[in-house]
Amino acid sequence: MTDTARGTSRRYGSRPTMKDVAARAGVGLKTVSRVVNGEPGVTPDTERRVQDAITALGFRRNDSARILRKGRTASIGLVLEDLADPFYGPLSRAVEEVARDHGALLINGSSAEDPVREQELVLALCARRVDGLVIIPAGDDHRYLEPEIAAGVATVFVDRPAGRIEADTVLSDSFGGARDAVAHLIAHGHRRIGFIGDQPRIHTAVERLRGYRTAMAGAGLDVDESWVSLGSTAPDRVRFAATAMLDGPRPVTALFAGNNRVTVTAVRVLAERPRPVALVGFDDFELADLVSPAITVVAQDAARLGRTAATMLFRRLDGAELPPQRQNIPTRLIPRGSGELPPPSDG
């Protein structure tokens, strides 16, 4: 007979306690504690009655109080820019796997590229007593974290550095990857190359623009400022920027896209045009190798970023006392066809 049939109803949010188990099994609280924690001193018959009561009630041990007595919650927080962005999937999975190896639970959330939301989320995780944080920052001022770090919350920043504080950081080589991408286009004959990037307040966008300019200058090529556009990665904005570069008085013959969202919109824009335009994108993305021509990309090792950051975090939690560390993860240029298209013969 169900609880409802007996005239009772389940009260959600009210979990069975060890006291409930003890009452159902007809034993004392200490006996239940011994069974739950695998301690000796309980007869087989009594242990069976306690286990039957645990099963019937759906009791689960409250690990939080036990762990808090040790000063650790065995949980870490991961703050991402956008949970839907495919770049963050392998990064998050790698952090989770390292956390699992250390017996810790991962709690993650998205800042939606909003500095205020980032701060609210980070402080909410700190209020829940996470042991450490892995943060892909949206803001550029992280002094709000200083009291939490001083209180022992280990913190590692990924993909972008912390703002106005010193902290452990793991970055991709955005500058080097962008420089290599543009140099690749130059090597295939292009002299008028456009760059469409993310918001200018974002570290990676600035570094990729710096790589673009360095490659152009290294080849002795002037940059027309109409070939450079930083801003939202929304499709309408990217489409407008690409169209302006392709139809301007000095039209570009190649595009370098600053991240995977920009690249996807650029692919759609270029597919509508009568003449092929070379394209290299920063970040790989799903199906990039299946379109025609396949998309040449600068690939980041997102899993390695996450694994390195989480390993660094747990090293801190295990007591490592070192100055803030910075690690740079190399990128890799993957030629697939779109970045190897030559400029038009009349270009």
Side-chain angles (χ1 to χ4, degrees), residues 232-242 261-262 264-266 268-269:
S232 164
T233 59
D236 288 348
R237 204 285 299 183
V238 174
R239 175 177 287 275
F240 179 85
R261 285 163 290 184
V262 175
V264 168
T265 300
R268 293 192 171 109
V269 171

Side-chain angles (χ1 to χ4, degrees), residues 10 17 38 44 57 75 82 85 102 172 189 211 231 238 241 246 272 326:
R10 183 183 301 277
T17 65
L57 294 172
S75 63
D82 182 357
D85 189 325
H102 286 80
S172 281
V238 174
L246 293 164
E272 299 165 359
R326 177 177 290 212

Side-chain angles (χ1 to χ4, degrees), residues 2-14:
T2 65
D3 288 343
T4 303
R6 293 190 185 100
T8 62
S9 61
R10 183 183 301 277
R11 184 158 59 91
Y12 293 100
S14 178

Side-chain angles (χ1 to χ4, degrees), residues 307-344:
R307 187 166 54 251
T308 302
T311 300
M312 190 180 290
L313 184 78
F314 280 99
R315 189 180 303 131
R316 291 290 185 192
L317 290 172
D318 289 340
E321 295 184 6
L322 299 166
Q325 306 291 299
R326 177 177 290 212
Q327 291 199 31
N328 287 291
I329 307 300
T331 57
R332 182 168 59 101
L333 181 71
I334 306 176
R336 292 192 180 122
S338 70
E340 294 69 58
L341 294 173

Side-chain angles (χ1 to χ4, degrees), residues 158-195:
V158 184
D159 194 40
R160 308 164 189 172
R164 307 185 72 175
I165 65 171
E166 293 295 321
D168 290 332
T169 306
V170 182
L171 305 174
S172 281
D173 185 9
S174 285
F175 167 77
R179 182 193 57 208
D180 293 346
V182 177
H184 185 73
L185 290 167
I186 293 169
H188 284 81
H190 295 277
R191 299 297 178 262
R192 300 195 303 272
I193 302 168
F195 172 65

